[in-house]
């Protein structure tokens, strides 16, 4: 089932800059655990601390119950697949994959058996005599995968391994990795900035920003129940509207009272309301209270993307049904499509609201 990874109060500094400060998390045995966030958020830094490529300025890193802070990289029993593959150009496919086993002084016949077996798993056994210069990007990535997993690591780290592939090949490799995890006994920690990769591959997602964990949850939790504005904006598209939670299961925005499924926010509390574009229905004028005008329509392949103005707010709506620009319509939003978040962050800045700003937000929402 792979290993448990425990990180307690991790700290990473470069000179006077603190990149990660007091981060803690736990990865369960056999889990596919994804660190998701924008460039510079600290996800790759954390991965390199786990494998031993980066120093640790504070905190404790464990594999199962063994503290690994001071254990050399080659003694941690961790495999890693890099963004740029890092395939040895002077070795053929077989020798690339055999590299880690030879370093461990395994018998020649055992090395040959293990390498041939893993080459079949990643479907490149017919390429074992080929040099890297004669491999495609997808084939090189398979070599890198095989080299990392042939040593039977307790933990397999993957640092944006698909980002250099074209869209079609990326989808194919994503499917292969999903199949691969069912065939090998290890724990996966995967780093990406691609929300689609994270949502389709993961058991658990950690959303990070500026070295801080914003939310931990299943893909469904992260998408359907974002904890703050950053997560709501980073994962998929969202309409985020200021509102007031009137009481349990009732919220007001656009000067209209809506039923919702959230509770526990108190009465007359300023909140942020999140509605996903695909959860909104475009209805004929007069069908609902929320009126708007279609300002633009884009064909996106599987659906149309509408920009719809309702007073001072422009909604993004996805629908498979075409409606012409300049059409006046109403929008229908059912209770379970409305998600309520605490109003703790300004919409365009990672900055806490002051008490005065919260009061002003409440007054503005009441006046809409």
């Amino acid at each position: 089932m792979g290993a448990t990874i425990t990180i307690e109060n991790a700290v990473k500094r470069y000179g006077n800059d603190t990149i990660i400060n007091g981060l803690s998390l736990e990865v369960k045995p056999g889990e596919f655990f994804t660190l998701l966030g924008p460039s510079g958020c600290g996800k790759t830094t954390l991965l390199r601390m786990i494998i031993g490529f980066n120093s640790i300025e504070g905190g404790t890193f464990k594999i199962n119950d063994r503290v690994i802070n001071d254990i050399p990289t080659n003694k941690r029993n961790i495999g890693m697949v890099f963004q740029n593959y890092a395939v040895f150009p002077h070795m053929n496919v077989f020798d690339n994959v055999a590299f880690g086993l030879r370093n461990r002084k395994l018998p020649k016949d055992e090395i040959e058996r293990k390498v041939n077996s893993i080459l079949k798993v990643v479907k490149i056994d017919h390429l074992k005599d080929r040099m890297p210069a004669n491999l495609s990007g997808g084939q090189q990535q398979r070599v890198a995968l095989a080299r990392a997993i042939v040593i039977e690591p307790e933990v397999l780290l993957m640092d944006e391994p698909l980002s250099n592939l074209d869209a079609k090949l990326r989808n194919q490799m994503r499917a292969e990795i999903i199949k691969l995890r069912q065939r090998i006994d290890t724990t996966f920690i995967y780093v990406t900035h691609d929300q689609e990769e994270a949502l389709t591959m993961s058991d658990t997602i950690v959303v990070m920003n500026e070295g801080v964990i914003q939310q931990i949850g299943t893909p469904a939790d992260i998408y359907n129940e974002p904890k703050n504005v950053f997560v709501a904006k980073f994962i998929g598209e969202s309409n985020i509207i200021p509102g007031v939670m009137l009481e349990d299961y009732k919220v007001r925005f656009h000067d209209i009272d809506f039923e919702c499924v959230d509770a526990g926010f108190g009465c007359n509390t300023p909140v942020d309301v999140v509605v996903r574009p695909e959860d909104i229905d475009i209805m004929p004028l007069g069908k609902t209270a929320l009126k708007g005008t279609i300002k633009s329509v884009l064909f996106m392949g599987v659906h149309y993307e509408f920009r719809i103005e309702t007073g001072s707010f422009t909604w993004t709506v996805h629908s498979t049904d075409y409606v012409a620009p300049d059409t006046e319509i109403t929008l229908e939003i059912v209770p379970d499509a409305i998600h309520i978040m605490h109003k703790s962050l300004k919409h365009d800045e990672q900055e806490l609201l002051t008490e005065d700003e919260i009061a002003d937000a409440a007054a503005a929402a009441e006046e809409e």
Side-chain angles (χ1 to χ4, degrees), residues 64-366:
N64 293 325
D65 294 325
R66 180 177 59 145
V67 176
I68 61 171
N69 290 46
D70 299 319
I71 294 177
T73 297
N74 63 341
K75 302 293 185 183
R76 296 188 185 192
N77 197 23
I78 298 175
M80 185 158 181
V81 181
F82 298 89
Q83 182 177 354
N84 62 355
Y85 318 143
V87 174
F88 302 125
H90 60 290
M91 296 182 184
N92 65 18
V93 168
F94 184 95
D95 290 338
N96 260 281
V97 177
F99 181 80
L101 299 176
R102 287 174 177 154
N103 276 353
R104 296 183 178 200
K105 313 290 187 189
L106 266 64
K108 184 177 179 180
D109 59 340
E110 185 176 353
I111 291 173
E112 188 163 346
R113 178 180 58 80
K114 285 178 177 289
V115 172
N116 285 330
S117 175
I118 206 66
L119 290 178
K120 287 180 182 178
V121 170
V122 298
K123 300 179 181 177
I124 53 171
D125 50 307
H126 60 295
L127 302 174
K128 65 181 181 180
D129 296 322
R130 191 172 293 186
M131 300 300 289
N134 298 318
L135 299 175
S136 69
Q139 290 166 342
Q140 289 189 49
Q141 189 58 283
R142 289 171 190 268
V143 174
L145 267 172
R147 187 179 60 194
I149 61 181
V150 75
I151 62 172
E152 300 177 2
E154 294 177 290
V155 182
L156 180 59
L157 309 181
M158 307 181 78
D159 186 11
E160 306 215 36
L162 309 184
S163 61
N164 290 334
L165 305 178
D166 62 57
K168 185 176 181 180
L169 188 53
R170 192 159 58 242
N171 288 337
Q172 291 174 353
M173 285 300 299
R174 187 186 304 158
E176 291 298 328
I177 291 172
I178 291 171
K179 291 178 186 176
L180 177 65
R181 69 161 300 200
Q182 321 235 333
R183 302 182 65 175
I184 64 172
D185 184 19
T186 192
T187 300
F188 286 74
I189 303 181
Y190 191 96
V191 161
T192 185
H193 64 271
D194 186 316
Q195 55 187 277
E196 185 176 341
E197 275 184 23
L199 291 171
T200 55
M201 298 173 69
S202 312
D203 297 317
T204 301
I205 298 173
V206 173
V207 183
M208 294 180 63
N209 187 41
E210 297 182 351
V212 176
I213 293 174
Q214 303 293 312
Q215 185 171 350
I216 301 178
T218 66
D221 289 340
I222 296 289
Y223 188 82
N224 294 321
E225 301 290 333
K227 295 297 185 186
N228 59 39
V229 170
F230 177 84
V231 177
K233 286 187 171 184
F234 192 77
I235 305 292
E237 289 192 69
S238 297
N239 297 284
I240 305 175
I241 312 101
V244 172
M245 197 71 179
L246 300 176
E247 57 189 48
D248 287 352
Y249 312 115
K250 184 176 289 186
V251 64
R252 176 181 296 160
F253 56 93
H254 283 320
D255 203 28
I256 301 169
D257 294 353
F258 290 85
E259 300 296 325
C260 65
V261 296
D262 291 284
F265 288 83
C267 296
N268 299 314
T269 305
V271 293
D272 281 322
V273 180
V274 179
V275 186
R276 297 290 188 182
E278 65 272 19
D279 292 335
I280 305 168
D281 290 324
I282 299 173
M283 306 294 287
L285 198 62
K287 288 287 185 181
T288 68
L290 184 53
K291 300 176 182 178
T293 303
I294 295 175
K295 305 308 291 184
S296 68
V297 185
L298 291 175
F299 179 62
M300 306 297 289
V302 245
H303 63 261
Y304 294 97
E305 181 171 280
F306 296 88
R307 294 285 191 266
I308 300 174
E309 281 191 3
T310 57
S312 60
F313 189 81
T314 301
W315 292 79
T316 299
V317 179
H318 293 167
S319 175
T320 55
D321 298 321
Y322 178 78
V323 184
D326 299 322
T327 304
E328 292 187 348
I329 50 86
T330 57
L331 298 178
E332 182 177 52
I333 308 173
V334 298
D336 62 3
I338 297 171
H339 172 66
I340 308 300
M341 300 187 305
H342 290 286
K343 184 176 281 297
S344 57
L345 297 172
K346 296 181 180 180
H347 286 275
D348 297 318
E349 302 173 21
Q350 294 301 300
E351 184 179 332
L352 292 175
L353 290 170
T354 65
E355 290 185 6
D356 287 343
E357 286 172 323
I358 290 176
D360 290 344
E366 294 265 5

